[in-house]
Amino acid sequence: MLRFTVIIIACFTALTSNISHAHNTSLTHVKVCGDAIDWPPYTYVIDEQTLGYDIEILDEALMKNGISYDITMTSWSRCLRGTKMGEFDLAVSSSYNTARDRDYLYTEWYYSITPYYIYSLDRFPQGLTISDVKELTDYKVCGNHGYNYTDFNLNNIIRAGNSVKDALDMLERGSCEVYLNWVEIIDGIKSVWGIDYIQDNLVAEVVPNMRPHKFYMLISKKFPAKAELKATLDPYLTSMQAKHSAQ
């Protein structure tokens, strides 16, 4: 009788454990983060409302499948750190590098953007024409904190604040000679917020012979429903590739 009771208790424990595990890994709500500073038209904030292409994607891929979400707009550095640590379940609009691949679960890519290099005519009165990104190794190049510049294949990029303005201020002071960004982001800042950074003595050029940079979402490896979230997002993201890709 005692043995039978132990078996019953053991079976009940195993059953409740499985039920609890299934509950913990069910995909019902996702905590999302994005870059609040300079990433229009993909994510941006107007009157405390988060808007952009990423929101449209989340509404279609999650909400229409009965999965709710909330989004925190913060610095990109904090978004990455929070997703890695499990504070957030999903980070939107991330490029690829091997370090991130170790720390996060990547979705399929869903849009691509065009690499830009920006310089001042005060420094280069005759302009700065290049035929390959490797030629920028001869100059002091700056970028933003937390951003991934792996696709540019340049070493010793100077990190200049969190925003486009921070980096351009550094450029105009002569602290760096070239600033790296992307066509769609600079155009998005102008179309969404009405800020035209490329005027007066600043010139922006497309980096020649460089493929558009692909962007993905990052799923926290600490999220219990990570596999289910990836399986939910990937088919929809793949369907968006041709529609929202730089040519």
Side-chain angles (χ1 to χ4, degrees), residues 42-54:
Y42 303 99
T43 48
Y44 57 94
V45 178
I46 294 181
D47 295 330
E48 299 184 357
Q49 182 179 3
T50 305
L51 303 168
Y53 175 49
D54 278 318

Side-chain angles (χ1 to χ4, degrees), residues 21-244:
H21 179 73
H23 175 75
N24 289 338
T25 58
S26 63
L27 182 58
T28 58
H29 184 79
V30 181
K31 296 177 293 183
V32 185
C33 66
D35 185 353
I37 300 174
D38 281 326
W39 209 251
Y42 303 99
T43 48
Y44 57 94
V45 178
I46 294 181
D47 295 330
E48 299 184 357
Q49 182 179 3
T50 305
L51 303 168
Y53 175 49
D54 278 318
I55 302 305
E56 297 171 13
I57 289 281
L58 294 173
D59 286 348
E60 289 290 325
L62 297 182
M63 297 288 282
K64 288 193 175 181
N65 282 301
I67 303 162
S68 62
Y69 73 91
D70 62 76
I71 184 163
T72 299
M73 298 295 285
T74 182
S75 71
W76 183 235
S77 296
R78 185 195 164 216
C79 181
L80 285 176
R81 183 171 62 253
T83 305
K84 180 179 178 179
M85 300 305 295
E87 178 185 358
F88 305 114
D89 307 319
L90 182 71
V92 295
S93 287
S94 172
S95 54
Y96 180 87
N97 67 29
T98 53
R100 289 181 187 174
D101 196 28
R102 290 192 299 268
D103 293 336
Y104 311 90
L105 180 64
Y106 269 88
T107 66
E108 294 293 329
W109 69 275
Y110 61 110
Y111 70 87
S112 63
I113 56 180
T114 312
Y116 238 0
Y117 70 102
I118 301 169
Y119 61 90
S120 171
L121 289 174
D122 291 341
R123 171 65 181 85
F124 301 101
Q126 305 304 315
L128 176 62
T129 301
I130 63 170
S131 58
D132 190 276
V133 69
K134 293 178 182 178
E135 294 171 32
L136 294 179
T137 57
D138 297 330
Y139 305 99
K140 291 189 293 184
V141 178
C142 61
N144 293 112
H145 289 300
Y147 283 15
N148 172 29
Y149 295 98
T150 303
D151 287 344
F152 288 93
N153 291 312
L154 297 173
N155 296 320
N156 302 320
I157 293 175
I158 303 165
R159 300 303 174 131
N162 292 309
S163 69
V164 171
K165 186 179 186 307
D166 289 340
L168 291 179
D169 285 348
M170 193 170 178
L171 187 74
E172 294 196 278
R173 290 196 305 268
S175 300
C176 64
E177 297 172 298
V178 178
Y179 170 50
L180 301 177
N181 205 283
W182 295 269
V183 172
E184 291 79 3
I185 302 305
I186 298 299
D187 288 352
I189 290 172
K190 182 178 180 179
S191 63
V192 170
W193 291 324
I195 302 172
D196 186 4
Y197 283 122
I198 310 304
Q199 56 182 328
D200 300 329
N201 63 330
L202 294 181
V203 178
E205 304 279 3
V206 172
V207 178
N209 301 314
M210 177 172 270
R211 292 180 179 179
H213 296 173
K214 295 177 179 178
F215 278 73
Y216 310 73
M217 295 185 185
L218 300 177
I219 301 171
S220 175
K221 289 190 174 180
K222 294 184 180 294
F223 186 39
K226 56 184 177 293
E228 190 176 353
L229 179 57
K230 179 174 170 60
T232 301
L233 289 172
D234 277 354
Y236 187 77
L237 297 181
T238 300
S239 73
M240 293 292 102
Q241 291 175 357
K243 184 177 180 182
H244 292 278

Side-chain angles (χ1 to χ4, degrees), residues 1-13:
M1 182 66 180
L2 179 59
R3 184 184 177 191
F4 180 75
T5 303
V6 171
I7 293 173
I8 291 291
I9 292 172
C11 291
F12 179 77
T13 302

